Amino acid sequence: MTGFLGRARPAGVLDAAAAAAVTGRPVASAEVRAHLDGFRHFTGARKQLLLETLLAVLGALPFDGRTDPGSIPDEEQAVWTDVTLRAVRILHAAHRNEESPALDADRVRMATSLGSFDAGKVWQGNTLAHLIALHALHTYQPGGALLREGLHALIRVQNADRGIPFIAGQEVWVTALAGTVLAGAGDRRGVVPLMAAYVAGQQLADGGWGYDETTTQSDVDDTSRCAELLRLAGPNTYGDRLGRADNYLRRMADKAGGWPTYVRGHAPEPDLTAGAVIALAPDWRRHSGILDQAVGFLLNAQDDDGTWQRSWTLSESSVIAHVVEALGRTTAHVSPTARTRIAAATAKAVRRLEQTQNPDGGWGQRNSTTSDALSTAHAVPIIVRHGAATTAGRALAHFLDRQEPEGGFTAPPDQVGPRPLPYNFPVLANVHALTALNTAVEAHPANGRPQSAAV
């Protein structure tokens, strides 16, 4: 692992600080502090506390208490957020040599959560939360069986390059995405029914889905994507599961019209809302009230420059593509006033993409950043459907030039977790590339399907 850190190219300030601290190199503490202080996300205070604590454990920053663990309220959270906050409080208390009934309660709750999972597996598939909990456990049970089992689980998910992934797997979410896009490509090998059956078997008791096979935590993003695949693969076959998924999404809907990621009542986000709209829109009659509110939320959430808040992605074009797709699924059902607003929002989003297209024809994750295959793949469907023909032509030419001989694409990390740290599942470049190529073929059917088939 130390060798990996010595060879790795850090993706940002925090990666560089962590690697430097572990390998004995100087840490740019002032730069790290400035980076942490720059968080503006609604989860910013919690992320600052988490990352300050991690860097303190590694020796990159002092345990100076700039972010007080007690300032983060106890409230309903995703299961890994709950365990992580308890672990952070335990680590800070250990540094101060404090004992208290509240600390005892945190220790019991955290250990109970870890102990409830199958031995030898990363807890909830979340390697980062698992690892933070082990650091906390080490402060008061350094020789315990739970710690030993947790370490063995980490070793089992070590990659061939000797690094440790942020999460142990993302097979449910990626399968749902890939199945949906393969269905759009014609599924010449007949794999979509198998993928749909696999996804159906991973549905959780509450009607939602999580990102991997082991987690018990459902979320709106995975549920929306899985429901979309099952509806494409067989609405009659999966009618019961789709009904449970619809009920889950209805329960998660915010009164303001949007959807959060994990817990109803948390701040709704445009990207998650777009996914829920796409999943529910085929049954508009049943969900019309919720969907009308969601359309209003998405329209009101658009920024003046045509973008929407980036959520679990680094790419502007990713969220633009998802929201514009969602709004497009609603135009046949909404009022004339809403239809006019949707057209204006779409035009504004297209202008943003046209204005931020790089001279080489592609897009980067943000304006003026280097073009990459993933950001370009997200932009292509919107430009092909709604943009100028010259812009679309340049985009497709650039995109096809990026295709590798075996048919795939390579891109920098596009996902973030915990936000804003990037992590990479390389297959996603191919999944979104095929989405872009499918759209291009649909817009110009005379061209056939040679590019789609290659991917």
Side-chain angles (χ1 to χ4, degrees), residues 252-344:
M252 289 289 287
D254 188 90
K255 292 180 180 179
W259 273 265
T261 304
Y262 300 115
V263 178
R264 187 176 190 271
H266 285 191
E269 302 182 57
D271 200 19
L272 282 298
T273 301
V277 167
I278 291 169
L280 295 175
D283 192 1
W284 187 278
R285 186 184 299 274
R286 181 186 175 204
H287 307 301
S288 59
I290 290 175
L291 289 170
D292 280 331
Q293 283 188 304
V295 169
F297 171 83
L298 289 173
L299 292 171
N300 293 334
Q302 188 176 30
D303 291 331
D304 291 339
D305 62 4
T307 65
W308 282 269
Q309 177 195 50
R310 293 179 298 162
S311 182
W312 295 96
T313 177
L314 293 170
S315 175
E316 272 188 10
S317 57
S318 173
V319 184
I320 288 175
H322 207 196
V323 175
V324 170
E325 173 70 18
L327 291 174
R329 304 280 185 101
T330 72
T331 51
H333 307 283
V334 296
S335 68
T337 299
R339 202 171 300 137
T340 300
R341 291 189 65 197
I342 288 171

Side-chain angles (χ1 to χ4, degrees), residues 121-382:
K121 290 187 178 180
V122 168
W123 181 77
Q124 296 288 342
N126 191 314
T127 317
L128 182 61
H130 178 98
L131 187 54
I132 297 166
L134 294 188
H135 275 287
L137 195 63
H138 190 267
T139 66
Y140 66 98
Q141 289 184 3
L146 193 55
L147 181 61
R148 289 197 304 273
E149 291 171 0
L151 291 172
H152 288 312
L154 283 173
I155 293 168
R156 289 189 182 98
V157 299
Q158 187 176 29
N159 286 324
D161 61 8
R162 302 308 181 205
I164 301 292
F166 157 60
I167 50 178
Q170 207 174 23
E171 56 273 13
V172 175
W173 190 70
V174 171
T175 301
L177 288 177
T180 299
V181 72
L182 285 171
D187 188 24
R188 294 177 304 152
R189 298 188 180 184
V191 298
V192 171
L194 299 175
M195 300 170 88
Y198 166 80
V199 165
Q202 303 302 318
Q203 190 172 31
L204 298 173
D206 63 3
W209 278 267
Y211 59 82
D212 87 332
E213 295 176 347
T214 65
T215 185
T216 62
Q217 176 67 62
S218 57
D219 65 81
V220 168
D221 191 18
D222 286 288
T223 302
S224 300
R225 304 289 190 167
C226 291
E228 186 179 4
L229 173 60
L230 296 189
R231 204 176 299 278
L232 280 172
N236 295 325
T237 303
Y238 298 111
D240 178 64
R241 294 186 183 277
L242 285 166
R244 291 170 57 204
D246 285 1
N247 289 336
Y248 170 88
L249 291 172
R250 288 180 65 89
R251 291 195 306 271
M252 289 289 287
D254 188 90
K255 292 180 180 179
W259 273 265
T261 304
Y262 300 115
V263 178
R264 187 176 190 271
H266 285 191
E269 302 182 57
D271 200 19
L272 282 298
T273 301
V277 167
I278 291 169
L280 295 175
D283 192 1
W284 187 278
R285 186 184 299 274
R286 181 186 175 204
H287 307 301
S288 59
I290 290 175
L291 289 170
D292 280 331
Q293 283 188 304
V295 169
F297 171 83
L298 289 173
L299 292 171
N300 293 334
Q302 188 176 30
D303 291 331
D304 291 339
D305 62 4
T307 65
W308 282 269
Q309 177 195 50
R310 293 179 298 162
S311 182
W312 295 96
T313 177
L314 293 170
S315 175
E316 272 188 10
S317 57
S318 173
V319 184
I320 288 175
H322 207 196
V323 175
V324 170
E325 173 70 18
L327 291 174
R329 304 280 185 101
T330 72
T331 51
H333 307 283
V334 296
S335 68
T337 299
R339 202 171 300 137
T340 300
R341 291 189 65 197
I342 288 171
T346 301
K348 189 186 293 187
V350 171
R351 279 198 302 274
R352 173 66 176 185
L353 290 177
E354 291 178 335
Q355 291 165 357
T356 56
Q357 187 178 32
N358 286 327
D360 63 8
W363 282 265
Q365 293 177 340
R366 299 193 73 180
N367 186 20
S368 300
T369 58
T370 304
S371 297
D372 68 84
L374 255 176
S375 299
T376 304
H378 293 309
V380 163
I382 305 306

